């Protein structure tokens, strides 16, 4: 499998606001300023016309990409908002997860500023979420992955941790906070990152682990992982500044890339159409990676 491993361009200029730029080497295109504190996550609609952003100011913003204008601003979370994603038809709903241990759903078409639904099942901060169809998967610092089936009105819970068998009893002896969740394209499995430097591919139907991926360092910071290239590869940053890529089926390391001056590589995102991916780090830079020449 050929994997992007060549730095195409480095995007700089991040300060207190979120910035967008296109590759290669075109420079800053637009700046979006409204948040009062750090921005912790963004999500873009499929048509690239709008995006949602969340952060330390407890606000959820909906933006128009072309005009850099704020379309909506929702308040209601009682702590910083860690994650956000779009759901519903044509991105009509914004879903946000917060340090206040709640997941809130916001109607993009309504004039109301109140959430249309609130889930408060988590016992600790909601660190990551992903929406696919009528299902919302969330990851929490309490070590539990929750699947909300909106169509059936049910919630399924899986606890990730080390299990010991003693005296015919199952006892959870170590539960690691979840930092990232993403469903596969077919909706049959979930990629889950935890603070034990392990990424797991979990079967949604029975909660069993299908494969695991190691080689990176992730014990202190929230680091996002993702699937890419037709769900054939797993991408993740690392606390040592590396960007790691694994084969989904075999779990073997395909690439170990050096980036971000040895500082934490905190997030990755793939574009399978362009055969590129991007990594972001605490050095304030975004690096776009392309196919080898």
């Amino acid at each position: 499998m050929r994997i992007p491993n060549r730095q195409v361009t480095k995007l700089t200029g991040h300060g207190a606001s979120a910035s967008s730029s296109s590759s290669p080497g075109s420079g800053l295109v637009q700046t979006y300023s409204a948040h009062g504190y750090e921005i912790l996550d963004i999500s873009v609609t499929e048509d690239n016309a709008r995006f949602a952003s969340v952060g330390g100011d407890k606000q959820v913003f909906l933006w128009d990409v072309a005009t850099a204008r704020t379309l909506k601003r929702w308040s209601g979370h009682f702590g910083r908002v860690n994650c956000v994603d779009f759901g519903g038809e044509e991105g009509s709903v914004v879903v946000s997860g917060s340090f206040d241990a709640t997941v809130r759903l916001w109607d993009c078409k309504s004039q109301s500023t109140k959430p249309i639904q609130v889930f408060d099942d988590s016992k600790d901060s909601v660190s990551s979420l992903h929406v696919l169809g009528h299902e919302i998967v969330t990851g929490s610092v309490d070590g539990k992955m929750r699947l909300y089936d909106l169509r059936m009105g049910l919630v399924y819970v899986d606890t990730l941790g080390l299990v010991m068998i003693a005296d015919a009893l199952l006892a959870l002896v170590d539960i690691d906070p979840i930092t990232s969740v993403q469903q596969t394209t077919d909706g049959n499995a979930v990629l889950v990152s935890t603070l034990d430097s392990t990424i797991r591919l979990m079967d949604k139907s029975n909660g069993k682990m299908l494969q695991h991926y190691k080689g990176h360092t992730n014990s202190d910071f929230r680091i996002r992982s993702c699937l890419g290239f037709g769900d054939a590869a797993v991408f993740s940053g690392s606390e040592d500044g590396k960007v790691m890529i694994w084969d989904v089926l075999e779990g073997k390391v395909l690439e170990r890339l050096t980036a971000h001056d040895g500082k934490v590589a905190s997030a990755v995102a793939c574009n399978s159409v362009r055969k590129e991916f991007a990594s972001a780090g605490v050095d304030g830079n975004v690096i776009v990676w392309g196919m080898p020449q």
Side-chain angles (χ1 to χ4, degrees):
M1 182 192 308
R2 296 181 73 240
I3 291 293
N5 59 9
R6 176 178 60 90
Q7 289 193 21
V8 175
T9 190
K10 180 183 289 186
L11 310 179
T12 62
H14 277 286
S17 59
S19 302
S20 72
S21 184
S22 59
S23 61
S26 60
L28 182 64
V29 174
Q30 185 63 272
T31 299
Y32 305 86
S33 300
H35 283 281
Y37 290 84
E38 72 274 15
I39 296 167
L40 299 175
D41 197 17
I42 66 170
S43 180
V44 185
T45 56
E46 291 187 2
D47 60 4
N48 294 323
R50 297 170 298 145
F51 75 91
S53 62
V54 296
D57 56 7
K58 311 175 188 177
Q59 309 287 312
V60 181
F61 286 86
L62 180 65
W63 301 84
D64 180 81
V65 171
T67 64
R69 185 169 60 91
T70 303
L71 302 176
K72 298 280 186 180
R73 182 177 66 180
W74 295 292
S75 302
H77 282 294
F78 298 102
R80 67 173 184 266
V81 189
N82 296 318
C83 46
V84 66
D85 200 5
F86 281 97
E89 295 184 5
E90 299 180 347
S92 58
V93 176
V94 170
V95 184
S96 58
S98 170
F99 185 78
D100 65 10
T102 69
V103 174
R104 296 173 188 260
L105 281 64
W106 314 89
D107 190 344
C108 298
K109 297 181 178 180
S110 172
Q111 296 301 315
S112 173
T113 58
K114 295 182 179 180
I116 55 178
Q117 200 163 3
V118 178
F119 301 128
D120 58 0
D121 305 276
S122 297
K123 306 306 179 185
D124 209 325
S125 174
V126 179
S127 56
S128 181
L129 63 83
H130 183 225
V131 182
L132 184 66
H134 61 279
E135 296 179 337
I136 302 172
V137 170
T138 68
S140 173
V141 175
D142 64 12
K144 291 181 171 59
M145 179 182 72
R146 293 173 173 85
L147 169 64
Y148 295 92
D149 188 326
L150 302 183
R151 185 175 297 171
M152 300 299 294
L154 299 173
V155 56
Y156 303 91
V157 183
D158 284 309
T159 301
L160 277 75
L162 181 63
V163 179
M164 291 186 62
I165 302 178
D167 299 326
L169 294 176
L170 289 177
L172 286 169
V173 298
D174 189 18
I175 299 176
D176 294 296
I178 296 174
T179 64
S180 178
V181 294
Q182 183 186 356
Q183 301 185 68
T184 54
T185 304
D186 60 13
N188 292 329
V190 184
L191 188 71
V192 187
S193 297
T194 52
L195 284 182
D196 60 349
S197 299
T198 305
I199 302 173
R200 299 171 176 86
L201 187 65
M202 308 297 296
D203 190 316
K204 281 171 58 176
S205 64
N206 55 27
K208 293 184 178 180
M209 185 177 70
L210 302 174
Q211 187 57 274
H212 71 283
Y213 314 93
K214 296 182 75 70
H216 65 306
T217 302
N218 186 197
S219 58
D220 297 310
F221 300 98
R222 184 182 73 167
I223 291 180
R224 297 295 177 85
S225 59
C226 74
L227 294 155
F229 295 82
D231 290 351
V234 173
F235 296 75
S236 177
S238 178
E239 291 175 7
D240 59 5
K242 297 290 194 300
V243 176
M244 304 288 298
I245 308 174
W246 297 266
D247 181 276
V248 165
L249 296 179
E250 299 181 8
K252 67 179 182 180
V253 176
L254 299 176
E255 293 284 354
R256 182 181 280 107
L257 306 173
T258 300
H260 305 290
D261 298 324
K263 298 180 181 178
V264 178
S266 55
V268 288
C270 290
N271 187 321
S272 298
V273 175
R274 295 176 61 97
K275 295 184 177 180
E276 295 178 341
F277 78 94
S279 63
V282 299
D283 60 352
N285 297 323
V286 176
I287 297 176
V288 178
W289 303 82
M291 300 297 287
Q293 292 180 332

